[in-house]
Amino acid sequence: MPLGLLLLWLFALATRFWGLSRFPTLVFDEVYFARFARHYLAGVPFFDAHPPLGKYLIALSIWLGGGFHPWGYRWLNALMGSLIPVAVAVLTYLLTRRSPVALLSGLFVALDGLFLVESRYALINISLVLFGVVAQILWLWGLRYQGRARSLWLMAAGIAFGACAAVKWSGLGFLLGVGLFWVLQQRLPLPAEWKTTYQWWQMCLLLPFIAFVVYTLLWLPHLQFHPHQSLLELHRQMFNFHRSVASTAHPYCSPWWSWPLLLRPMSYFFQRVQTLSEPVPVIGPPLPMADTQWIYAVYALFNPPLLWLGTLATLALLPLGLTTTAGRFVLLNYAANLLPWALVTRCIFLYHYLPAALYSFMTLALVWEASHAWGDRARWARIAVLGVVVGGFLYWLPLYLGLPLTPQGFFRRMWLPSWI
């Protein structure tokens, strides 16, 4: 297991750092988040619709990275992104005590496209996911202890949950997931290593209190730059902003139910050029498609075979998943991170599916593990699944890394009309 985790991390590290400074321009929401981070360093007030921790981390990246340039504002996010596959493997191991299924879960995350793309730019969804997974690891680890030690681990989990919510409010889905799991565990058998579960006061009082305190404290640096605004007033402005965004405010808006089907990915960067020697980004009007020889594109696109197989595995696990500890955990967390979006009326995007997709990948690994009892035919099915996942990653890799493609090569990778 340790060697497997090291190899998994090195693979994730290499894919996330290779060519990190390729596009010397702000890509997608870097125009907001990287600039907001620079404002923190310069002491300039600004309005942001999300809590501040994600921008603090980008500011730290700029400060440690030597200035406001692509490497400076991207490297820390790439490092955090490389840790997510390892964290997912650890989380799966705590649930199953099976090294193969744990490493496979981490490998699936490492082979996903949207996790890779989000890790390579100064965006904030990666820090949300990392804090959320770490919080759940700490929460599960605390079940191995009793008394004061258990409360200390729960408090550590509360700190991570508070940090997760301080990146985006949607990070509360990770806390909701463990809450649902805890409620269900009251009536179902516990694994042998969990002699008891958390007490009601630990889950209903201590954990949310610690998370709330940490969330509040993380606002203090932001408030130093906005001395004339209260924390309550800032939250009122943020809430009103999100409420005012129409459901069709952006061409890449997509309903929550479409995410497991991968109906509407997003273009983060798109440039047409005549030669590979041209500097990118191109200054001036867009080149007509008829004169285009090469396309540089970065797409917020999950690994399509992996995502679709994860969706099928989640549906397949529903009838029997609640009979096992790991099945209960992944299904409840999948629901907790997806279904609340059905209540949101503003424009939402595919990247909001990142936390839920993570649990669908874990579900696929659980189904893979269970298929060992299905005979020899299942062995070939497992090989085929791994083959198409790896193949999908390699096939769409140019869209994840922004490598040059011919127009024909680009459109061959647009499998659905809604992808364009």
Side-chain angles (χ1 to χ4, degrees):
M1 183 75 172
L3 178 59
L5 290 177
L6 176 61
L7 294 175
L8 180 64
W9 178 63
L10 291 176
F11 172 75
L13 197 69
T15 54
R16 280 144 182 80
F17 273 90
W18 186 80
L20 192 62
S21 301
R22 175 172 295 109
F23 301 121
T25 185
L26 295 171
V27 172
F28 189 56
D29 278 350
E30 286 185 330
V31 297
Y32 303 113
F33 300 141
R35 285 175 175 167
F36 292 164
R38 183 168 60 175
H39 290 340
Y40 279 132
L41 295 173
V44 177
F46 63 93
F47 171 74
D48 183 17
H50 297 294
L53 181 55
K55 278 72 67 178
Y56 293 165
L57 293 171
I58 299 173
L60 178 64
S61 181
I62 295 170
W63 184 64
L64 294 176
F68 191 78
H69 49 79
W71 175 268
Y73 49 72
R74 291 173 185 167
W75 74 267
L76 184 56
N77 210 45
L79 179 62
M80 290 189 294
S82 73
L83 295 173
I84 291 179
V86 177
V88 169
V90 172
L91 179 63
T92 307
Y93 182 78
L94 291 177
L95 292 167
T96 64
R97 299 295 166 179
R98 293 279 299 161
S99 296
V101 69
L103 292 173
L104 186 63
S105 294
L107 180 62
F108 283 155
V109 176
L111 290 173
D112 178 66
L114 189 47
F115 276 96
L116 175 57
V117 170
E118 287 280 327
S119 300
R120 289 173 54 83
Y121 297 97
L123 307 174
I124 61 177
N125 294 303
I126 286 300
S127 52
L128 178 146
V129 172
L130 182 60
F131 285 130
V133 174
V134 168
Q136 293 191 339
I137 290 172
L138 295 170
W139 189 88
L140 288 172
W141 192 262
L143 292 171
R144 300 162 58 93
Y145 298 88
Q146 293 188 13
R148 183 181 179 184
R150 172 171 288 188
S151 294
L152 290 175
W153 281 108
L154 187 71
M155 292 171 67
I159 293 171
F161 280 126
C164 185
V167 177
K168 280 186 175 181
W169 291 340
S170 57
L172 292 172
F174 289 98
L175 180 58
L176 176 61
V178 297
L180 294 174
F181 180 73
W182 174 76
V183 170
L184 197 58
Q185 288 297 100
Q186 308 302 303
R187 299 183 178 274
L188 294 171
L190 294 170
E193 65 271 16
W194 300 351
K195 299 186 185 303
T196 61
T197 187
Y198 289 107
Q199 299 298 310
W200 72 268
W201 64 269
Q202 292 174 311
M203 286 297 297
C204 300
L205 297 177
L206 180 61
L207 182 62
F209 175 74
I210 294 296
F212 176 76
V213 169
V214 170
Y215 173 83
T216 303
L217 290 175
L218 286 170
W219 275 95
L220 294 181
H222 181 89
L223 293 173
Q224 294 297 313
F225 301 112
H226 303 80
H228 303 297
Q229 287 185 306
S230 68
L231 188 58
L232 184 62
E233 174 63 19
L234 280 171
H235 279 73
R236 186 189 66 81
Q237 292 179 4
M238 292 163 60
F239 179 77
N240 287 337
F241 172 84
H242 290 293
R243 188 174 61 176
S244 68
V245 178
S247 61
T248 57
H250 195 280
Y252 285 112
C253 295
S254 57
W256 67 274
W257 54 262
S258 71
W259 300 338
L261 304 176
L262 196 53
L263 298 184
R264 188 59 170 155
M266 305 173 66
S267 175
Y268 280 7
F269 182 85
F270 189 88
Q271 290 275 279
R272 305 180 188 130
V273 298
Q274 288 183 315
T275 68
L276 295 180
S277 60
E278 291 182 62
V280 176
V282 176
I283 305 300
L287 185 69
M289 183 59 75
D291 298 327
T292 299
Q293 299 298 316
W294 296 96
I295 291 175
Y296 293 93
V298 176
Y299 255 59
L301 176 72
F302 288 101
N303 181 336
L306 174 59
L307 189 80
W308 290 328
L309 287 169
T311 300
L312 291 174
T314 302
L315 294 174
L317 195 63
L318 279 175
L320 300 175
L322 297 181
T323 63
T324 66
T325 300
R328 287 193 291 270
F329 190 90
V330 296
L331 289 177
L332 290 172
N333 275 279
Y334 180 82
N337 283 280
L338 175 61
L339 296 183
W341 289 105
L343 305 175
V344 177
T345 58
R346 59 151 288 172
C347 174
I348 50 180
F349 303 99
L350 182 65
Y351 57 69
H352 290 123
Y353 188 56
L354 278 166
L358 181 150
Y359 295 103
S360 76
F361 300 161
M362 292 173 64
T363 302
L364 180 59
L366 293 177
V367 172
W368 168 292
E369 177 75 3
S371 70
H372 282 84
W374 300 346
D376 291 338
R377 289 184 179 180
R379 179 167 64 91
W380 294 108
R382 290 193 298 273
I383 294 173
V385 165
L386 188 57
V388 297
V389 169
V390 173
F393 177 76
L394 296 175
Y395 184 66
W396 278 279
L397 188 61
L399 295 181
Y400 305 147
L401 301 182
L403 302 178
L405 287 168
T406 64
Q408 296 79 11
F410 172 78
F411 286 110
R412 277 198 301 269
R413 288 166 172 81
M414 298 292 103
W415 279 15
L416 299 177
S418 59
W419 288 11
I420 300 175

